[in-house]
mmCIF file of all heavy atoms in Angstrom:
data_model
loop_
_atom_site.group_PDB
_atom_site.id
_atom_site.type_symbol
_atom_site.label_atom_id
_atom_site.label_comp_id
_atom_site.label_asym_id
_atom_site.label_seq_id
_atom_site.Cartn_x
_atom_site.Cartn_y
_atom_site.Cartn_z
ATOM 1 N N ALA A 4 8.202 15.012 -7.172
ATOM 2 C CA ALA A 4 9.625 15.325 -7.114
ATOM 3 C C ALA A 4 10.295 14.732 -8.350
ATOM 4 O O ALA A 4 10.191 13.529 -8.594
ATOM 5 C CB ALA A 4 10.249 14.751 -5.843
ATOM 6 N N VAL A 5 10.975 15.572 -9.124
ATOM 7 C CA VAL A 5 11.707 15.116 -10.306
ATOM 8 C C VAL A 5 13.193 15.191 -9.975
ATOM 9 O O VAL A 5 13.786 16.274 -9.954
ATOM 10 C CB VAL A 5 11.368 15.958 -11.548
ATOM 11 C CG1 VAL A 5 12.135 15.431 -12.771
ATOM 12 C CG2 VAL A 5 9.865 15.926 -11.824
ATOM 13 N N LEU A 6 13.770 14.048 -9.658
ATOM 14 C CA LEU A 6 15.183 13.980 -9.268
ATOM 15 C C LEU A 6 16.032 13.958 -10.537
ATOM 16 O O LEU A 6 15.847 13.102 -11.392
ATOM 17 C CB LEU A 6 15.439 12.724 -8.430
ATOM 18 C CG LEU A 6 14.413 12.411 -7.329
ATOM 19 C CD1 LEU A 6 14.831 11.159 -6.570
ATOM 20 C CD2 LEU A 6 14.243 13.595 -6.386
ATOM 21 N N GLY A 7 16.973 14.894 -10.640
ATOM 22 C CA GLY A 7 17.726 15.016 -11.881
ATOM 23 C C GLY A 7 16.938 15.774 -12.938
ATOM 24 O O GLY A 7 17.084 15.528 -14.139
ATOM 25 N N GLY A 8 16.121 16.717 -12.506
ATOM 26 C CA GLY A 8 15.231 17.428 -13.415
ATOM 27 C C GLY A 8 15.891 18.495 -14.267
ATOM 28 O O GLY A 8 15.205 19.164 -15.047
ATOM 29 N N ASP A 9 17.216 18.661 -14.146
ATOM 30 C CA ASP A 9 17.940 19.610 -14.995
ATOM 31 C C ASP A 9 18.537 18.916 -16.212
ATOM 32 O O ASP A 9 19.177 19.556 -17.043
ATOM 33 C CB ASP A 9 19.047 20.295 -14.179
ATOM 34 C CG ASP A 9 19.732 21.436 -14.931
ATOM 35 O OD1 ASP A 9 19.027 22.286 -15.505
ATOM 36 O OD2 ASP A 9 20.985 21.474 -14.953
ATOM 37 N N GLY A 10 18.328 17.604 -16.337
ATOM 38 C CA GLY A 10 19.007 16.826 -17.367
ATOM 39 C C GLY A 10 18.264 16.717 -18.686
ATOM 40 O O GLY A 10 17.201 17.303 -18.891
ATOM 41 N N PHE A 11 18.819 15.908 -19.588
ATOM 42 C CA PHE A 11 18.349 15.766 -20.963
ATOM 43 C C PHE A 11 16.896 15.297 -21.043
ATOM 44 O O PHE A 11 16.112 15.809 -21.843
ATOM 45 C CB PHE A 11 19.276 14.798 -21.711
ATOM 46 C CG PHE A 11 18.838 14.472 -23.117
ATOM 47 C CD1 PHE A 11 18.543 15.481 -24.017
ATOM 48 C CD2 PHE A 11 18.740 13.160 -23.530
ATOM 49 C CE1 PHE A 11 18.148 15.176 -25.324
ATOM 50 C CE2 PHE A 11 18.348 12.842 -24.815
ATOM 51 C CZ PHE A 11 18.058 13.857 -25.722
ATOM 52 N N VAL A 12 16.522 14.323 -20.225
ATOM 53 C CA VAL A 12 15.130 13.870 -20.188
ATOM 54 C C VAL A 12 14.391 14.498 -19.001
ATOM 55 O O VAL A 12 13.193 14.742 -19.065
ATOM 56 C CB VAL A 12 15.051 12.329 -20.124
ATOM 57 C CG1 VAL A 12 13.592 11.862 -20.160
ATOM 58 C CG2 VAL A 12 15.809 11.695 -21.296
ATOM 59 N N GLY A 13 15.112 14.784 -17.931
ATOM 60 C CA GLY A 13 14.482 15.339 -16.732
ATOM 61 C C GLY A 13 13.834 16.684 -16.961
ATOM 62 O O GLY A 13 12.718 16.949 -16.475
ATOM 63 N N TRP A 14 14.506 17.577 -17.707
ATOM 64 C CA TRP A 14 13.969 18.925 -17.904
ATOM 65 C C TRP A 14 12.664 18.908 -18.713
ATOM 66 O O TRP A 14 11.657 19.451 -18.261
ATOM 67 C CB TRP A 14 15.022 19.820 -18.557
ATOM 68 C CG TRP A 14 14.508 21.182 -18.930
ATOM 69 C CD1 TRP A 14 14.395 21.708 -20.185
ATOM 70 C CD2 TRP A 14 14.040 22.210 -18.042
ATOM 71 N NE1 TRP A 14 13.882 22.971 -20.142
ATOM 72 C CE2 TRP A 14 13.656 23.314 -18.842
ATOM 73 C CE3 TRP A 14 13.900 22.307 -16.658
ATOM 74 C CZ2 TRP A 14 13.134 24.492 -18.290
ATOM 75 C CZ3 TRP A 14 13.383 23.472 -16.105
ATOM 76 C CH2 TRP A 14 13.015 24.542 -16.918
ATOM 77 N N PRO A 15 12.625 18.285 -19.893
ATOM 78 C CA PRO A 15 11.344 18.257 -20.618
ATOM 79 C C PRO A 15 10.246 17.502 -19.873
ATOM 80 O O PRO A 15 9.069 17.823 -20.012
ATOM 81 C CB PRO A 15 11.681 17.596 -21.957
ATOM 82 C CG PRO A 15 12.990 16.927 -21.760
ATOM 83 C CD PRO A 15 13.708 17.691 -20.702
ATOM 84 N N THR A 16 10.620 16.521 -19.041
ATOM 85 C CA THR A 16 9.621 15.824 -18.230
ATOM 86 C C THR A 16 9.023 16.764 -17.191
ATOM 87 O O THR A 16 7.803 16.792 -16.980
ATOM 88 C CB THR A 16 10.247 14.605 -17.533
ATOM 89 O OG1 THR A 16 10.702 13.679 -18.522
ATOM 90 C CG2 THR A 16 9.236 13.912 -16.635
ATOM 91 N N ALA A 17 9.882 17.552 -16.533
ATOM 92 C CA ALA A 17 9.391 18.508 -15.533
ATOM 93 C C ALA A 17 8.421 19.508 -16.166
ATOM 94 O O ALA A 17 7.368 19.817 -15.605
ATOM 95 C CB ALA A 17 10.571 19.240 -14.884
ATOM 96 N N LEU A 18 8.758 19.998 -17.368
ATOM 97 C CA LEU A 18 7.874 20.931 -18.068
ATOM 98 C C LEU A 18 6.553 20.266 -18.433
ATOM 99 O O LEU A 18 5.473 20.858 -18.256
ATOM 100 C CB LEU A 18 8.552 21.459 -19.334
ATOM 101 C CG LEU A 18 9.846 22.266 -19.184
ATOM 102 C CD1 LEU A 18 10.271 22.819 -20.537
ATOM 103 C CD2 LEU A 18 9.686 23.396 -18.181
ATOM 104 N N ILE A 27 5.479 20.662 -9.337
ATOM 105 C CA ILE A 27 6.759 20.030 -9.651
ATOM 106 C C ILE A 27 7.894 20.634 -8.829
ATOM 107 O O ILE A 27 8.063 21.863 -8.757
ATOM 108 C CB ILE A 27 7.086 20.176 -11.155
ATOM 109 C CG1 ILE A 27 5.972 19.554 -11.998
ATOM 110 C CG2 ILE A 27 8.435 19.540 -11.473
ATOM 111 C CD1 ILE A 27 5.715 18.082 -11.717
ATOM 112 N N HIS A 28 8.676 19.747 -8.227
ATOM 113 C CA HIS A 28 9.881 20.118 -7.490
ATOM 114 C C HIS A 28 11.063 19.378 -8.098
ATOM 115 O O HIS A 28 11.083 18.139 -8.111
ATOM 116 C CB HIS A 28 9.758 19.757 -6.008
ATOM 117 C CG HIS A 28 8.724 20.553 -5.283
ATOM 118 N ND1 HIS A 28 9.048 21.577 -4.411
ATOM 119 C CD2 HIS A 28 7.368 20.488 -5.291
ATOM 120 C CE1 HIS A 28 7.938 22.099 -3.924
ATOM 121 N NE2 HIS A 28 6.897 21.456 -4.440
ATOM 122 N N ILE A 29 12.034 20.128 -8.619
ATOM 123 C CA ILE A 29 13.250 19.537 -9.164
ATOM 124 C C ILE A 29 14.301 19.465 -8.062
ATOM 125 O O ILE A 29 14.593 20.466 -7.405
ATOM 126 C CB ILE A 29 13.793 20.360 -10.348
ATOM 127 C CG1 ILE A 29 12.877 20.208 -11.573
ATOM 128 C CG2 ILE A 29 15.227 19.952 -10.694
ATOM 129 C CD1 ILE A 29 13.288 21.092 -12.748
ATOM 130 N N LEU A 30 14.864 18.268 -7.856
ATOM 131 C CA LEU A 30 16.020 18.080 -6.976
ATOM 132 C C LEU A 30 17.194 17.681 -7.853
ATOM 133 O O LEU A 30 17.108 16.696 -8.595
ATOM 134 C CB LEU A 30 15.755 16.983 -5.938
ATOM 135 C CG LEU A 30 14.921 17.334 -4.697
ATOM 136 C CD1 LEU A 30 13.494 17.696 -5.075
ATOM 137 C CD2 LEU A 30 14.925 16.165 -3.717
ATOM 138 N N ASP A 31 18.276 18.441 -7.803
ATOM 139 C CA ASP A 31 19.401 18.181 -8.702
ATOM 140 C C ASP A 31 20.660 18.765 -8.079
ATOM 141 O O ASP A 31 20.603 19.801 -7.408
ATOM 142 C CB ASP A 31 19.134 18.826 -10.074
ATOM 143 C CG ASP A 31 19.912 18.172 -11.208
ATOM 144 O OD1 ASP A 31 21.158 18.111 -11.106
ATOM 145 O OD2 ASP A 31 19.280 17.748 -12.194
ATOM 146 N N ASN A 32 21.793 18.106 -8.320
ATOM 147 C CA ASN A 32 23.066 18.656 -7.855
ATOM 148 C C ASN A 32 23.828 19.361 -8.983
ATOM 149 O O ASN A 32 24.964 19.800 -8.792
ATOM 150 C CB ASN A 32 23.944 17.569 -7.221
ATOM 151 C CG ASN A 32 24.422 16.543 -8.235
ATOM 152 O OD1 ASN A 32 23.965 16.514 -9.381
ATOM 153 N ND2 ASN A 32 25.340 15.672 -7.825
ATOM 154 N N LEU A 33 23.187 19.434 -10.180
ATOM 155 C CA LEU A 33 23.752 20.111 -11.356
ATOM 156 C C LEU A 33 25.056 19.482 -11.817
ATOM 157 O O LEU A 33 25.885 20.128 -12.482
ATOM 158 C CB LEU A 33 23.940 21.616 -11.087
ATOM 159 C CG LEU A 33 22.689 22.362 -10.593
ATOM 160 C CD1 LEU A 33 23.009 23.847 -10.397
ATOM 161 C CD2 LEU A 33 21.521 22.181 -11.555
ATOM 162 N N ARG A 36 26.189 19.646 -15.546
ATOM 163 C CA ARG A 36 26.834 20.889 -15.983
ATOM 164 C C ARG A 36 28.322 20.884 -15.613
ATOM 165 O O ARG A 36 29.168 21.372 -16.376
ATOM 166 C CB ARG A 36 26.127 22.094 -15.364
ATOM 167 C CG ARG A 36 24.677 22.262 -15.846
ATOM 168 C CD ARG A 36 23.972 23.401 -15.135
ATOM 169 N NE ARG A 36 22.571 23.492 -15.499
ATOM 170 C CZ ARG A 36 22.050 24.444 -16.288
ATOM 171 N NH1 ARG A 36 22.827 25.382 -16.790
ATOM 172 N NH2 ARG A 36 20.756 24.443 -16.570
ATOM 173 N N ILE A 53 19.389 26.833 -14.203
ATOM 174 C CA ILE A 53 18.103 26.225 -13.833
ATOM 175 C C ILE A 53 17.173 27.283 -13.229
ATOM 176 O O ILE A 53 15.952 27.248 -13.442
ATOM 177 C CB ILE A 53 18.312 25.031 -12.867
ATOM 178 C CG1 ILE A 53 16.985 24.322 -12.569
ATOM 179 C CG2 ILE A 53 18.999 25.477 -11.583
ATOM 180 C CD1 ILE A 53 16.346 23.678 -13.770
ATOM 181 N N ARG A 56 15.766 29.225 -16.162
ATOM 182 C CA ARG A 56 14.812 28.361 -16.877
ATOM 183 C C ARG A 56 13.456 28.342 -16.173
ATOM 184 O O ARG A 56 12.410 28.494 -16.814
ATOM 185 C CB ARG A 56 15.358 26.930 -16.932
ATOM 186 C CG ARG A 56 16.424 26.658 -17.964
ATOM 187 C CD ARG A 56 16.958 25.246 -17.779
ATOM 188 N NE ARG A 56 17.206 24.581 -19.048
ATOM 189 C CZ ARG A 56 17.569 23.314 -19.186
ATOM 190 N NH1 ARG A 56 17.726 22.550 -18.105
ATOM 191 N NH2 ARG A 56 17.761 22.785 -20.368
ATOM 192 N N THR A 57 13.475 28.143 -14.864
ATOM 193 C CA THR A 57 12.209 28.059 -14.136
ATOM 194 C C THR A 57 11.518 29.430 -14.067
ATOM 195 O O THR A 57 10.288 29.498 -14.048
ATOM 196 C CB THR A 57 12.424 27.506 -12.713
ATOM 197 O OG1 THR A 57 13.396 28.303 -12.016
ATOM 198 C CG2 THR A 57 12.911 26.065 -12.756
ATOM 199 N N ILE A 68 7.830 25.923 -11.142
ATOM 200 C CA ILE A 68 8.640 24.724 -10.900
ATOM 201 C C ILE A 68 9.679 25.117 -9.863
ATOM 202 O O ILE A 68 10.428 26.081 -10.049
ATOM 203 C CB ILE A 68 9.319 24.225 -12.189
ATOM 204 C CG1 ILE A 68 8.272 23.717 -13.190
ATOM 205 C CG2 ILE A 68 10.333 23.125 -11.866
ATOM 206 C CD1 ILE A 68 8.859 23.267 -14.516
ATOM 207 N N HIS A 69 9.710 24.406 -8.759
ATOM 208 C CA HIS A 69 10.608 24.730 -7.650
ATOM 209 C C HIS A 69 11.918 23.954 -7.804
ATOM 210 O O HIS A 69 11.908 22.774 -8.165
ATOM 211 C CB HIS A 69 9.949 24.378 -6.316
ATOM 212 C CG HIS A 69 8.559 24.935 -6.179
ATOM 213 N ND1 HIS A 69 8.313 26.215 -5.741
ATOM 214 C CD2 HIS A 69 7.345 24.380 -6.444
ATOM 215 C CE1 HIS A 69 7.012 26.438 -5.728
ATOM 216 N NE2 HIS A 69 6.398 25.338 -6.148
ATOM 217 N N PHE A 70 13.037 24.599 -7.515
ATOM 218 C CA PHE A 70 14.343 23.951 -7.620
ATOM 219 C C PHE A 70 14.997 23.843 -6.252
ATOM 220 O O PHE A 70 14.998 24.811 -5.483
ATOM 221 C CB PHE A 70 15.263 24.720 -8.566
ATOM 222 C CG PHE A 70 16.686 24.218 -8.533
ATOM 223 C CD1 PHE A 70 16.993 22.940 -8.981
ATOM 224 C CD2 PHE A 70 17.709 25.016 -8.019
ATOM 225 C CE1 PHE A 70 18.295 22.470 -8.925
ATOM 226 C CE2 PHE A 70 19.010 24.552 -7.965
ATOM 227 C CZ PHE A 70 19.302 23.269 -8.422
ATOM 228 N N HIS A 71 15.569 22.667 -5.969
ATOM 229 C CA HIS A 71 16.261 22.412 -4.705
ATOM 230 C C HIS A 71 17.623 21.777 -5.026
ATOM 231 O O HIS A 71 17.680 20.723 -5.681
ATOM 232 C CB HIS A 71 15.446 21.475 -3.818
ATOM 233 C CG HIS A 71 14.006 21.874 -3.695
ATOM 234 N ND1 HIS A 71 13.545 22.736 -2.715
ATOM 235 C CD2 HIS A 71 12.918 21.533 -4.445
ATOM 236 C CE1 HIS A 71 12.246 22.913 -2.863
ATOM 237 N NE2 HIS A 71 11.832 22.191 -3.902
ATOM 238 N N VAL A 95 9.955 10.921 -9.545
ATOM 239 C CA VAL A 95 10.535 10.464 -10.813
ATOM 240 C C VAL A 95 12.049 10.568 -10.676
ATOM 241 O O VAL A 95 12.588 11.647 -10.439
ATOM 242 C CB VAL A 95 10.033 11.301 -11.999
ATOM 243 C CG1 VAL A 95 10.550 10.709 -13.315
ATOM 244 C CG2 VAL A 95 8.500 11.363 -12.023
ATOM 245 N N HIS A 96 12.727 9.441 -10.830
ATOM 246 C CA HIS A 96 14.155 9.343 -10.504
ATOM 247 C C HIS A 96 15.004 9.276 -11.778
ATOM 248 O O HIS A 96 15.094 8.245 -12.422
ATOM 249 C CB HIS A 96 14.376 8.099 -9.638
ATOM 250 C CG HIS A 96 15.798 7.828 -9.264
ATOM 251 N ND1 HIS A 96 16.795 8.780 -9.285
ATOM 252 C CD2 HIS A 96 16.409 6.670 -8.839
ATOM 253 C CE1 HIS A 96 17.933 8.237 -8.900
ATOM 254 N NE2 HIS A 96 17.727 6.968 -8.631
ATOM 255 N N PHE A 97 15.602 10.430 -12.131
ATOM 256 C CA PHE A 97 16.571 10.517 -13.233
ATOM 257 C C PHE A 97 17.987 10.776 -12.725
ATOM 258 O O PHE A 97 18.892 10.972 -13.536
ATOM 259 C CB PHE A 97 16.238 11.695 -14.157
ATOM 260 C CG PHE A 97 14.902 11.679 -14.821
ATOM 261 C CD1 PHE A 97 13.918 12.580 -14.433
ATOM 262 C CD2 PHE A 97 14.618 10.804 -15.850
ATOM 263 C CE1 PHE A 97 12.690 12.610 -15.067
ATOM 264 C CE2 PHE A 97 13.392 10.817 -16.489
ATOM 265 C CZ PHE A 97 12.421 11.724 -16.099
ATOM 266 N N ALA A 98 18.175 10.834 -11.417
ATOM 267 C CA ALA A 98 19.402 11.404 -10.850
ATOM 268 C C ALA A 98 20.568 10.424 -10.876
ATOM 269 O O ALA A 98 21.102 10.035 -9.831
ATOM 270 C CB ALA A 98 19.134 11.879 -9.420
ATOM 271 N N ASN A 235 15.862 22.421 -24.688
ATOM 272 C CA ASN A 235 16.509 21.305 -23.993
ATOM 273 C C ASN A 235 17.999 21.263 -24.330
ATOM 274 O O ASN A 235 18.426 21.779 -25.373
ATOM 275 C CB ASN A 235 15.844 19.994 -24.420
ATOM 276 C CG ASN A 235 16.122 18.854 -23.448
ATOM 277 O OD1 ASN A 235 16.456 19.095 -22.293
ATOM 278 N ND2 ASN A 235 15.995 17.627 -23.908
#
Side-chain angles (χ1 to χ4, degrees):
V5 181
L6 315 181
D9 188 48
F11 175 52
V12 183
W14 174 244
T16 298
L18 298 186
I27 302 302
H28 293 255
I29 289 175
L30 280 65
D31 203 304
N32 67 350
L33 306 181
R36 295 176 185 253
I53 185 64
R56 282 174 141 186
T57 55
I68 293 177
H69 310 275
F70 171 66
H71 312 271
V95 186
H96 178 20
F97 300 109
N235 199 22

